[in-house]
Amino acid sequence: MRDRQGWLRRLTVLCAGLFLLLLGTAAPASAHAALRETDPADGTVLRSAPRQVTLTFTESVGLLTDSFRVYDPENHRVRTGEADHAPGRSDTARASLPARLGTGTYTVAWRVVSADSHPVSGALTFSVGKRTATTTSVLPDRSENRATSSLYNIARYAAYLSVALLLGTAAFVAYCRPPARAQLRRPALAAWWTLSAATTVLFLLRAPYEEGAAPTSAFALSSLARTATARPGELLLARLALLLLAGACTLSPRRWRRGIPRRAALTTAGTLSVALALTWAASEHASVGRQVPVAIASATLHLLAMAAWLGGLTALLLTLRRAAPDPAALPARVVTRFSRLAFASVTVLVATGVYQSWRGLGSWQALTDTAYGRLLVAKLAAVALLLAVASRSRRWTARLASPSRAPLRDRVPEPAGGPPLPPPPEPPAAPHTLPGRLRRSVLAEVAMGVMVLVLTTLLTSTLPGRAAAEAARSETPAAGIPAASVTTIPFDVGTSQGHGKVQITLDPGRVGANSVQAVVYGPDGGLASVPELRITFTLAAQRIGPLDTRVTDRGGYWAADSFGVPIPGTWTMKVTVRVSEVDQVTVAKAVRVAR
């Protein structure tokens, strides 16, 4: 039996490790600060060189030592000034440019840190005088480092799971007062060590995670110093200090054997739990946006209620497992008190969850149109299933607390006279007793709770629906400000090297005179040269067209300096690409032309 239990324990640890590895190597977290506006605008052609590059986001952002990289048409890096914020605008980042920039297309790669501690990166282009072909390839340099992101995400999931187990076990011991308190010290100690290790890893990887650098740069003194002086790093250090204090105050073997007076235990556990929960709330969604004080309080209560319920369930499951040989060893008051604790936790979870959903979504449409909304729907479905399982556990808890309330069919009537009735049959084996049924129900509840916790962690890494809608609205150019229309159309003539895409820019994309530029990319993503390219526009509703743009080869790209669009509407743009003497294809796409 001991060998089998040890084997099952090792298998559980292995499965948990594989589960965390799978989550950590999943797609990187979505950024939470969305780009609202750029100056110069992406894709614009300027008559004179700009003096600076300015980016405006949907929330305040932090700057790195290398937040802006600017490359000229020859892929040479341009010397820029130090990145800073616009006066009084923590949501606006800028960097000065040299006084004189040559003619051609420039690429700006940027990377900042959103107020809720997630890095944001991207790139844009602008041209001085005219567009030119560029060989710049900077996006991979500014993207996430897969090893760093995977390790950081694994540490985040491990921290969430371990804090739920640590705080839930402490709440269970302090409030429910099980008789075998010392037996719960081992899982609490394991959760404490896991949370301490995960927090240390998060602190070390913070700078490489922000910069998109390799994990080997984690021990650089400059990186550690910058992390220690930034808000995410300060919160991680505060979490480590609280964990050391919690370990010294509550995890010593003597205290767990002798127990702590109930009032002192509740006060100590409550104070440390609230302080620990605040280190999460102050660094996630609640720390930015509207109603920040209320949101932080709500997020703190949400995390505490989740930990008390799910971590307490795990502690109850372990207590039931150890009491399986002798159900009388588990007093009914323990499960009764936990039932009250779970009910209060669920009430707090529902109230704070409704508020956080309203704050993060912003509209009903965001439930289906954004990744945040779809994840929220999945979490709500998982919570509903969890509540259904919990209601079953609550029924078994009530029967265990009141064994006299047995069904009528289980009662044996007393004989009115005559010989005594034979003795009742022996009760079923332990797996079929009330504690056994409650244990299986609690196990299912714990499994569903872990799924809810995973979905909650994914939500903290996803752009809220309200911010996504705001970013989408900001993508629409303001009235009176011309913006280029950029369209990418894939093509395939059916040969091994006869496929790629054409990127067509219609500037300004409005009624009247427009310039047309087209760049052809080959199968490898690089610039491709084709013998012929033709672009026409047709407005079938008004029986206009096809209008030939008459683009010509300019050496690396095709262009027409002036092409007139007579009326606004949704035009059909047809692109004919000839890649050889006999191979060509025509593809089409709708293009909206404004007034």
Side-chain angles (χ1 to χ4, degrees):
M1 178 63 70
R2 291 182 179 178
D3 292 341
R4 186 175 66 177
Q5 290 178 353
W7 182 83
L8 288 175
R9 194 179 301 115
R10 289 191 293 269
L11 181 62
T12 302
V13 173
L14 176 62
C15 291
L18 292 175
F19 184 61
L20 290 175
L21 182 63
L22 177 64
L23 291 174
T25 55
S30 302
H32 295 172
L35 185 63
R36 175 185 293 167
E37 182 183 3
T38 68
D39 183 18
D42 187 16
T44 56
V45 179
L46 307 173
R47 293 181 180 179
S48 59
R51 298 304 305 271
Q52 64 182 14
V53 177
T54 304
L55 308 178
T56 303
F57 297 88
T58 56
E59 64 182 46
S60 59
V61 295
L63 301 177
L64 305 172
T65 56
D66 198 20
S67 279
F68 287 88
R69 295 182 188 177
V70 181
Y71 295 83
D72 65 14
E74 302 299 326
N75 201 20
H76 298 143
R77 187 168 178 181
V78 177
R79 185 183 299 275
T80 62
E82 184 178 357
D84 62 353
H85 292 99
R89 296 289 303 274
S90 60
D91 62 345
T92 302
R94 62 183 185 178
S96 60
L97 297 174
R100 294 182 179 180
L101 291 178
T103 300
T105 299
Y106 291 79
T107 304
V108 180
W110 51 268
R111 188 176 181 89
V112 296
V113 181
S114 62
D116 53 6
S117 75
H118 295 277
V120 192
S121 61
L124 61 94
T125 62
F126 67 88
S127 302
V128 178
K130 66 176 183 179
R131 288 188 176 88
T132 58
T134 176
T135 59
T136 304
S137 178
V138 298
L139 287 179
D141 297 334
R142 307 297 280 166
S143 62
E144 303 289 342
N145 182 281
R146 293 299 301 273
T148 300
S149 298
S150 298
L151 292 173
Y152 193 86
N153 289 333
I154 289 173
R156 287 182 66 246
Y157 285 107
Y160 266 103
L161 292 172
S162 56
V163 75
L165 179 58
L166 178 62
L167 299 186
T169 303
F172 182 80
V173 171
Y175 181 75
C176 301
R177 310 294 288 179
R181 289 184 293 272
Q183 296 178 350
L184 293 176
R185 179 179 176 272
R186 180 176 294 179
L189 195 60
W192 184 87
W193 278 109
T194 303
L195 182 55
S196 301
T199 304
T200 303
V201 171
L202 290 173
F203 180 83
L204 293 175
L205 291 179
R206 184 65 209 175
Y209 177 68
E210 291 179 348
E211 299 173 352
T216 52
S217 63
F219 296 96
L221 293 180
S222 58
S223 298
L224 294 175
R226 188 175 71 254
T227 300
T229 56
R231 190 181 67 167
E234 292 172 349
L235 291 171
L236 291 172
L237 289 177
R239 188 182 303 171
L240 281 174
L242 289 169
L243 286 172
L244 291 176
L245 181 61
C249 292
T250 61
L251 292 179
S252 64
R254 181 179 301 176
R255 292 183 183 273
W256 280 74
R257 282 195 303 266
R258 295 182 178 180
I260 306 175
R262 189 178 184 186
R263 180 172 298 179
L266 290 175
T267 302
T268 303
T271 303
L272 293 176
S273 298
V274 170
L276 272 176
L278 278 172
T279 63
W280 269 274
S283 62
E284 298 290 352
H285 287 311
S287 62
V288 294
R290 59 176 62 189
Q291 302 175 354
V292 171
V294 179
I296 289 181
S298 175
T300 302
L301 291 174
H302 196 81
L303 179 59
L304 291 174
M306 176 273 299
W309 186 16
L310 302 184
L313 274 175
T314 305
L316 177 62
L317 179 64
L318 295 173
T319 303
L320 289 170
R321 179 174 174 269
R322 290 184 171 90
D326 183 14
L330 180 64
R333 59 177 174 79
V334 174
V335 291
T336 301
R337 286 177 179 173
F338 178 76
S339 180
R340 297 170 185 167
L341 178 64
F343 180 79
S345 300
V346 170
T347 302
V348 174
L349 282 172
V350 171
T352 56
V354 169
Y355 170 76
Q356 292 181 28
S357 300
W358 167 81
R359 185 175 181 269
L361 279 176
S363 66
W364 290 106
Q365 187 178 2
L367 277 173
T368 56
D369 292 353
T370 63
Y372 183 89
R374 291 187 288 270
L375 271 175
L376 182 60
V377 170
K379 179 184 175 181
L380 291 176
V383 168
L385 185 57
L386 177 58
L387 290 175
V389 177
S391 65
R392 185 175 181 85
S393 299
R394 191 173 177 84
R395 288 198 300 268
W396 291 125
T397 298
R399 292 186 62 182
L400 185 63
S402 303
S404 60
R405 300 178 182 175
L408 291 176
R409 55 185 170 84
D410 294 339
R411 298 178 182 174
V412 179
E414 293 291 338
L421 293 175
E426 292 294 328
H432 300 287
T433 60
L434 287 179
R437 293 175 180 177
L438 178 60
R439 186 170 64 252
R440 291 193 297 272
S441 180
V442 170
L443 180 60
E445 199 173 345
V446 169
M448 287 303 306
V450 171
M451 183 58 63
V452 171
L453 186 59
V454 169
L455 291 172
T456 301
T457 310
L458 289 175
L459 275 174
T460 64
S461 303
T462 306
L463 180 67
R466 190 184 296 273
E470 184 178 353
R473 288 193 299 269
S474 66
E475 292 176 359
T476 303
I481 300 178
S485 170
V486 181
T487 306
T488 301
I489 304 179
F491 68 88
D492 190 351
V493 300
T495 61
S496 58
Q497 296 297 319
H499 60 92
K501 60 183 179 180
V502 184
Q503 180 177 293
I504 300 141
T505 302
L506 185 67
D507 189 9
R510 296 174 179 270
V511 171
N514 290 262
S515 63
V516 182
Q517 295 86 27
V519 180
V520 182
Y521 296 94
D524 59 352
L527 297 178
S529 177
V530 296
E532 183 179 352
L533 184 70
R534 185 182 182 215
I535 303 174
T536 64
F537 284 79
T538 303
L539 188 60
Q542 301 294 331
R543 298 183 179 181
I544 301 176
L547 305 179
D548 194 347
T549 59
R550 301 183 183 278
V551 293
T552 57
D553 190 355
R554 303 291 178 89
Y557 71 104
W558 296 69
D561 294 330
S562 180
F563 169 68
V565 182
I567 62 175
T570 302
W571 292 71
T572 300
M573 180 173 61
K574 289 187 177 181
V575 182
T576 300
V577 185
R578 183 164 63 86
V579 298
S580 68
E581 293 295 331
V582 295
D583 296 317
Q584 74 175 35
V585 66
T586 299
V587 290
K589 195 167 186 178
V591 176
R592 176 69 180 172
V593 177
R595 290 186 181 277

